[in-house]
């Protein structure tokens, strides 16, 4: 499986500010995703980070609030904008194992970024 | 609304017993099924995946899939205290998106 790192591992931020989270993979991958895990809950997909084009957002998530960049096949960023305490969560990037053009393969997760908004 | 249902637990088993974790899903078009283990404060770790009906064994873990009943399970043999964690069932829908259940907390008593 790919080795995935995220920065920062945790942060405490003030209301109204923004935080950019970085995700780095040690090999080229086609599919990268961003998830949120709110306290005591399961994972919710925020968006698919597409290389060379805009991210594809899930229902309830918008680009103005969660802008995503994917400049190449090994790196992506997620920004949480104009934060409120409700954004306190763990943010996780994941990658799908690349197997030619086939989809539906296993996904592996980075270590996560624990965000607290005061 | 595509759903993945799990009993939240906790499921408590004695050390050495078999732990049985269950999951049902609503989308009949789902093709890929995954079990993740998540320790407190850590990210999910993939432990098993299954694509075809039947059983798939890997060490102490066995995944079972029944597409007709829309049911997937995970058996952990010879449970150890280190297996105590939350187990997340995830189903990949026809759009290749992972839908997660809410997780079952497993507690293995020494």
């Amino acid at each position: 499986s790919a080795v995935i790192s995220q920065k920062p591992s945790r942060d405490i931020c003030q209301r109204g500010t923004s935080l950019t989270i970085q995700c780095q993979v040690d090999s080229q991958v086609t599919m990268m995703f961003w998830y949120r895990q709110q306290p005591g809950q399961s994972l919710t997909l925020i968006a698919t980070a597409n290389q060379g084009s805009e991210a594809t957002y899930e229902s309830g998530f918008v680009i103005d609030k969660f802008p995503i960049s994917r400049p190449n096949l090994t790196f992506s960023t997620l920004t949480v904008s104009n934060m409120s305490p409700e954004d306190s969560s763990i943010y996780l990037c994941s990658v799908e194992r690349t197997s030619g053009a086939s989809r539906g393969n296993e996904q592996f997760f980075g270590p996560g970024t624990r965000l607290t908004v005061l | 609304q595509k759903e993945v249902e799990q009993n939240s637990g906790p499921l408590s088993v004695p050390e050495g017993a078999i732990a049985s974790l269950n999951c049902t899903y609503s989308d009949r078009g789902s093709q890929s099924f995954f079990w993740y283990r998540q320790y407190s404060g850590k990210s999910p770790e993939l432990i098993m995946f299954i694509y075809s009906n039947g059983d798939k064994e890997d060490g102490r873990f066995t995944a079972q899939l029944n597409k007709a009943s829309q049911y997937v399970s995970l058996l952990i043999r010879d449970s150890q205290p280190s297996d105590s964690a939350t187990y997340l069932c995830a189903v990949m829908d026809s759009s290749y998106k992972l839908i997660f259940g809410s997780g079952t907390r497993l507690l293995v008593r020494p």
Side-chain angles (χ1 to χ4, degrees):
Chain A
S1 62
V3 177
I4 307 167
S5 59
Q6 283 186 236
K7 290 182 185 179
S9 58
R10 60 178 61 230
D11 208 341
I12 300 173
C13 300
Q14 295 297 319
R15 179 195 300 261
T17 63
S18 298
L19 177 71
T20 295
I21 302 168
Q22 299 179 6
C23 179
Q24 179 76 53
V25 190
D26 69 341
S27 58
Q28 293 187 337
V29 293
T30 304
M31 304 303 298
M32 290 182 75
F33 307 90
W34 287 98
Y35 288 82
R36 180 173 74 181
Q37 187 173 29
Q38 294 182 300
Q41 298 194 24
S42 193
L43 283 76
T44 301
L45 179 63
I46 297 171
T48 302
N50 300 309
Q51 195 266 329
S53 64
E54 271 193 9
T56 305
Y57 289 85
E58 297 302 306
S59 176
F61 297 96
V62 296
I63 188 171
D64 289 348
K65 176 67 175 177
F66 297 102
I68 288 171
S69 78
R70 177 94 192 266
N72 56 51
L73 293 176
T74 64
F75 186 78
S76 178
T77 67
L78 168 75
T79 298
V80 186
S81 302
N82 188 25
M83 288 183 285
S84 67
E86 292 70 35
D87 295 319
S88 297
S89 188
I90 298 172
Y91 292 86
L92 297 136
C93 71
S94 78
V95 303
E96 183 178 315
R97 179 178 62 84
T98 297
S99 177
S102 71
R103 289 294 319 278
N105 304 305
E106 312 87 84
Q107 280 190 27
F108 301 95
F109 285 85
T113 296
R114 183 180 295 270
L115 171 63
T116 302
V117 184
L118 302 178
Chain B
Q1 179 85 359
K2 297 170 184 174
E3 294 183 339
V4 177
E5 300 284 346
Q6 293 182 257
N7 189 317
S8 61
L11 173 65
S12 180
V13 301
E15 183 174 356
I18 296 175
S20 178
L21 305 162
N22 305 313
C23 172
T24 60
Y25 60 95
S26 63
D27 182 9
R28 284 198 173 273
S30 302
Q31 294 295 321
S32 308
F33 306 86
F34 306 87
W35 283 98
Y36 289 84
R37 177 175 62 198
Q38 187 173 29
Y39 292 112
S40 180
K42 301 294 185 181
S43 67
E45 172 192 9
L46 180 67
I47 54 172
M48 287 289 288
F49 57 92
I50 187 167
Y51 301 142
S52 304
N53 273 331
D55 294 0
K56 179 182 178 183
E57 186 174 319
D58 184 0
R60 295 187 296 114
F61 299 100
T62 299
Q64 299 175 317
L65 174 61
N66 184 326
K67 289 186 179 179
S69 300
Q70 296 174 242
Y71 176 92
V72 59
S73 65
L74 178 71
L75 300 178
I76 306 174
R77 289 181 298 281
D78 188 24
S79 295
Q80 301 297 310
S82 59
D83 294 326
S84 298
T86 296
Y87 289 80
L88 300 169
C89 172
V91 175
M92 188 168 285
D93 71 10
S94 52
S95 302
Y96 303 112
K97 294 175 188 172
L98 269 187
I99 313 296
F100 280 84
S102 57
T104 297
R105 192 157 70 91
L106 173 65
L107 177 62
V108 181
R109 309 186 305 270

